[in-house]
Amino acid sequence: MDTIRIGMIGAGFMCKLHSIALKNYPMYFFPPEANVALQCIADSNVRLAEEGMARYGYKEYEEDWTKLIARGDVDAIDIVTPNWVHREMALEALKSGKPVFCEKPLSNTLEGAREVYEAARSARVVNAVGYNNRCIPAVTLAKQMIESGQLGEIYTFRTQYMQDWAIGEDVPMEWRLDIDKAGSGALGDICSHAIDLARYLVGNFAKVAAKSRTIIKKRPVSESAVLGLKKKREVLGYQEVKVDDEVEFLVEFTNGATGIFTSSRFAYGHKNTLDFEVYGSRGALKFTNEYLWELQYYSGTDPEDRQGYKKIKMGPMHPYGMSFWPIADLGVGYADLKCAEMSHFIEAVSKKDPFLVSANFYDGYKACQIIDAVQRSAREEKWVGITDD
């Protein structure tokens, strides 16, 4: 059996998630397509690199990520750094001819995302982008039900992705609130996942009409600001906020369906809520990630006196079910979903088949294309078309 030696670029929050998923992959998806070795980790912060090596079990570390990519003992590159360096790192990794997994977005700009996608197409190597919500068993089942015609013609897709960590003028500036580093706010950070799910379940977007706003215009700057941590720190100054705090937009899909999207980081009570509803000519579906292991289904073909939403509990007979737990209601979690996503990447690398990943760089490019259209629509206050390329 092959052993795929992983080079991880970035030693922060997402490194933890990816490392857990990669280590658990052979246990969940047994027998594995290949063995996985956590070979090397890289971070420009030497302390984080050393800690990541010790904490997650990497054999070595590099301070320079370009040296990690060039190493002969690294077979595949996993990029889990903040947004603004994804493009540069992905392009360099693709030049090496090695398979690449990159967390979203591929770039903070549409031009950059297209450059990365086209480089991947030319390199003809396995490439994957981090939209792990596709691997939620209930979401995969929803796709199967839609594609089989169980819902009939799809009329409407409604979704919201809501958080509340940014509420309060005392929340310090961090890179997700800095437009030069993040590219956008709630739109790119969280709503991009809803955008990808809509493409996955319903199809490509034809045009969008959007409204967005920044609620808090200035943020205190302090050292070592951490996501969601409202700890009192010395204020070094204030920085203007130019990213969106909330966004709403309408969608017309290429197949004629319509969509309604809402996303905010100012929604009290929502720590990390992703909901969607799908309505068709024969039935409907509802899902919330607060109950990852459930999907609600309404059949419009049931007798009139028996109609109503039915709760489907994910178990061993559902997508990924046999890889997780033998009975329903034991549940799956955040790291489990990333493990499922990584199983596709490892299988694709082992079989040298780019089509086996759950989401590739083309999907990453399309998400960036839609984000760009939403931003333009909000600025220009008009419908903006999206090319189906």
Side-chain angles (χ1 to χ4, degrees), residues 25 56 60 68 80-81 102-103 107 142 251 269 286:
Y25 157 70
Y56 307 125
E60 298 182 74
L68 179 144
V80 293
T81 53
C102 183
E103 273 300 328
S107 171
V251 172
K286 287 184 181 182

Side-chain angles (χ1 to χ4, degrees), residues 66-369:
T66 63
K67 290 182 179 179
L68 179 144
I69 290 174
R71 289 177 66 125
D73 61 352
V74 167
D75 302 312
I77 310 299
D78 194 352
I79 301 169
V80 293
T81 53
N83 295 9
W84 71 92
V85 288
H86 286 181
R87 172 190 161 276
E88 180 185 8
M89 290 176 173
L91 289 173
E92 190 67 24
L94 289 167
K95 287 179 186 177
S96 74
K98 297 175 182 179
V100 185
F101 189 107
C102 183
E103 273 300 328
K104 62 87 184 169
L106 294 182
S107 171
N108 281 347
T109 68
L110 175 58
E111 295 77 14
R114 187 172 187 94
E115 183 182 8
V116 173
Y117 157 60
E118 289 181 344
R121 187 170 57 177
S122 298
R124 296 185 178 180
V125 298
V126 171
N127 55 88
V129 67
Y131 284 116
N132 56 287
N133 289 300
R134 291 185 178 210
C135 296
I136 298 172
V139 170
T140 308
L141 177 62
K143 182 174 177 63
Q144 293 173 357
M145 294 172 73
I146 291 168
E147 289 188 339
S148 69
Q150 200 163 344
L151 267 64
E153 179 187 352
I154 301 303
Y155 295 146
T156 309
F157 180 88
R158 301 175 64 96
T159 183
Q160 65 170 5
Y161 202 146
M162 315 295 270
Q163 295 178 341
D164 66 2
W165 65 265
I167 299 174
E169 295 184 355
D170 58 332
V171 174
M173 196 73 182
E174 61 112 57
W175 71 262
R176 290 174 181 81
L177 299 167
D178 186 335
I179 196 166
D180 293 329
K181 294 180 177 180
S184 67
L187 173 61
D189 185 25
I190 54 178
C191 192
S192 57
H193 284 289
I195 288 170
D196 179 71
L197 280 186
R199 280 194 65 246
Y200 178 64
L201 294 172
V202 181
N204 282 328
F205 291 30
K207 58 183 179 179
V208 296
K211 174 73 175 178
S212 68
R213 64 172 174 152
T214 303
I215 296 173
I216 294 180
K217 310 293 185 182
K218 286 186 179 180
R219 295 280 187 180
V221 176
S222 61
E223 291 185 0
S224 305
V226 178
L227 173 64
L229 186 61
K230 299 182 181 180
K231 183 178 178 180
K232 289 201 171 183
R233 306 172 189 273
E234 181 185 359
V235 175
L236 305 176
Y238 289 84
Q239 183 175 334
E240 184 180 1
V241 179
K242 298 180 180 178
V243 299
D244 56 282
D245 287 324
E246 67 175 28
V247 62
E248 295 86 24
F249 57 97
L250 302 177
V251 172
E252 183 178 303
F253 293 90
T254 55
N255 60 13
T258 58
I260 303 172
F261 290 67
T262 302
S263 194
S264 174
R265 298 192 290 211
F266 279 68
Y268 270 127
H270 292 283
K271 302 306 175 186
N272 187 58
T273 305
L274 170 59
D275 302 339
F276 68 77
E277 301 172 2
V278 188
Y279 297 98
S281 60
R282 299 183 63 205
L285 295 171
K286 287 184 181 182
F287 170 81
T288 175
N289 70 350
E290 293 183 346
Y291 299 95
L292 275 173
W293 53 94
E294 294 179 1
L295 180 67
Q296 293 190 63
Y297 168 53
Y298 188 108
S299 172
T301 61
D302 283 346
E304 190 172 347
D305 63 346
R306 298 291 187 273
Q307 288 183 356
Y309 275 98
K310 175 172 63 176
K311 185 186 296 180
I312 305 173
K313 296 189 175 184
M314 299 297 107
M317 70 293 298
H318 293 112
Y320 307 105
M322 290 303 296
S323 296
F324 292 116
W325 310 117
I327 59 174
D329 268 355
L330 289 178
V332 293
Y334 186 44
D336 300 328
L337 306 181
K338 183 58 72 173
C339 187
E341 183 181 41
M342 282 298 173
S343 75
H344 292 290
F345 181 65
I346 296 301
E347 182 180 6
V349 173
S350 178
K351 295 181 177 178
K352 297 180 174 59
D353 185 347
F355 295 101
L356 294 177
V357 300
S358 53
N360 59 24
F361 280 10
Y362 176 72
D363 297 306
Y365 158 66
K366 291 300 288 185
C368 288
Q369 184 189 38

